[in-house]
Amino acid sequence: LESSEDRSVAPVYRACCPIESEAVEDNSVDDEGGHAIGIDKVDGGASKLSHSIQANEKSMKSPENRCVAYDSSQAWDILYQTVALLKEAGNKALKASLPFLAARRYDKAINYCSLAYLSFPVGPVDFLAEHQYVISKNGGYECRWNELIKTLVMIRLNLAMCFLKQEINDAKGAMAQANLSLKELKPFATEKGVVLTGKKLTKKRADEPIKTYNESKALQAKAYFRLGSSQILLKEYDDAVKSFDLCVGSTNEAGMTVDAAVMRKINEAKRRRKEKKEIQRKKFKFMFSSNEKEVDSSKGTTEVGSG
């Protein structure tokens, strides 16, 4: 997992911005000075704060803090570390040619991620409240690039790879994971230096680091590759060619070199599309020739009867 700046809301910020103070009306409330504090202001300000994953890891490892009681401000770090461990365990199983075991571990990691990205009553889980409020104002999308959303996308793509293995052979499952990955990347991979926000992703938050765009584009390229691979198995060759073309485009936009495996898949999809069309052409030709013979036969029978 490549290290990069995590731009999600820091636990410290969550502690000082409770959801109750902002949920009075649609997008804003008034502060003490009578000025509106909109969701854009909260989202924009929070996105500029650094996350505390590394800081908390150091804190937890220090001898004086090993017996300290659980602190909810560290919940995001614990959640991320749990997901990362499950992802690594899945990777080891996949490398050991155990796709079923890998798929179970990836699926479990996704279940942990759902704590952050699914909408449900949070109850006493305070660390989720502000995060889910911001997500609800952005149409259910995570609009802050951080390690957890990157890891979730990577896990989905690895799970899609498991589904494409011959032992599992679940092309529809692979397609579903690829499409979910593309959906989660949409706010970050649409325009360089910009993150899409709002209920329908019609708003734009500027000044996003270019690194966010490049990383999201690289993951988007992998998602299109998984999508195209699943479409080949489903014999949807036209769609597969389109997906691989989009994979090439995303790879170029991320500033990377197109892998030879992508070009082989494009050629395979085009070849199979051509073969499918040839089979369909012969099938229709046979149908028309059969119909013509039946018509001729019926005409001959009619002529004999009239004579």
Side-chain angles (χ1 to χ4, degrees):
L1 183 65
E2 295 181 1
S3 61
S4 65
E5 184 182 0
D6 190 333
R7 302 178 64 78
S8 66
V9 181
V12 175
Y13 189 85
R14 293 188 181 92
C16 67
C17 291
I19 186 171
E20 300 88 68
S21 66
E22 296 183 23
V24 177
E25 206 160 346
D26 184 24
N27 277 349
S28 65
V29 294
D30 290 335
D31 60 10
E32 293 179 357
H35 300 291
I37 305 176
I39 186 65
D40 293 335
K41 184 175 180 181
V42 173
D43 192 20
S47 69
K48 296 178 182 178
L49 298 176
S50 60
H51 203 10
S52 62
I53 288 176
Q54 294 82 4
N56 280 347
E57 284 179 343
K58 292 177 182 178
S59 176
M60 291 297 288
K61 289 177 182 178
S62 62
E64 62 270 18
N65 287 339
R66 284 178 182 171
C67 297
V68 176
Y70 170 75
D71 182 358
S72 63
S73 68
Q74 295 176 339
W76 285 102
D77 308 292
I78 295 170
L79 176 61
Y80 167 72
Q81 290 163 21
T82 303
V83 170
L85 284 171
L86 286 167
K87 171 180 173 285
E88 184 60 29
N91 291 350
K92 288 180 179 179
L94 193 57
K95 289 177 182 177
S97 300
L98 299 170
F100 284 101
L101 178 59
R104 285 198 296 271
R105 290 172 175 175
Y106 291 140
D107 184 65
K108 191 170 185 178
I110 291 172
N111 286 337
Y112 273 97
C113 285
S114 70
L115 286 172
Y117 299 119
L118 289 183
S119 178
F120 57 90
V122 295
V125 189
D126 296 332
F127 81 102
L128 290 173
E130 189 272 345
H131 181 73
Q132 289 193 346
Y133 173 64
V134 172
I135 285 180
S136 70
K137 294 298 180 181
N138 288 317
Y141 287 90
E142 169 65 274
C143 294
R144 287 157 293 182
W145 192 241
N146 55 66
E147 292 296 334
L148 188 60
I149 189 66
K150 282 197 294 182
T151 305
L152 173 58
V153 171
M154 291 177 187
I155 291 168
R156 288 197 184 283
L157 296 177
N158 289 353
L159 181 56
M161 187 191 302
C162 290
F163 288 153
L164 291 171
K165 294 291 184 181
Q166 190 174 2
E167 296 92 329
I168 299 179
N169 194 28
D170 183 2
K172 289 185 177 179
M175 180 184 289
Q177 293 301 320
N179 280 324
L180 285 169
S181 298
L182 291 169
K183 177 179 179 291
E184 286 154 357
L185 290 168
K186 185 177 179 180
F188 313 102
T190 302
E191 186 176 342
K192 190 175 292 187
V194 167
V195 174
L196 302 183
T197 63
K199 284 282 188 181
K200 297 183 179 180
L201 296 184
T202 54
K203 298 180 181 179
K204 295 182 180 181
R205 189 181 72 230
D207 301 325
E208 185 73 14
I210 300 301
K211 190 175 183 181
T212 297
Y213 180 81
N214 290 338
E215 288 180 345
S216 61
K217 274 294 180 182
L219 289 172
Q220 188 184 62
K222 290 183 180 179
Y224 279 128
F225 183 80
R226 299 281 187 270
L227 182 60
S229 299
S230 63
Q231 288 164 337
I232 284 180
L233 291 178
L234 293 169
K235 300 181 180 180
E236 299 173 359
Y237 303 124
D238 285 330
D239 291 335
V241 171
K242 291 177 184 177
S243 295
F244 289 127
D245 285 340
L246 289 169
C247 172
V248 172
S250 295
T251 302
N252 291 331
E253 289 169 357
M256 302 186 307
T257 303
V258 178
D259 194 273
V262 178
M263 303 310 300
R264 286 196 296 270
K265 282 288 187 179
I266 291 176
N267 292 333
E268 179 185 354
K270 288 180 177 179
R271 175 176 55 79
R272 294 198 179 191
R273 180 178 63 178
K274 184 178 179 181
E275 291 172 354
K276 183 179 179 180
K277 288 182 177 178
E278 183 64 21
I279 291 172
Q280 290 175 338
R281 187 185 67 79
K282 290 180 179 179
K283 184 178 179 181
F284 284 124
K285 184 179 179 181
F286 175 77
M287 288 174 61
F288 284 125
S289 63
S290 298
N291 289 335
E292 288 175 359
K293 288 180 181 179
E294 289 178 3
V295 171
D296 292 340
S297 176
S298 62
K299 284 182 178 179
T301 303
T302 304
E303 289 174 358
V304 170
S306 61

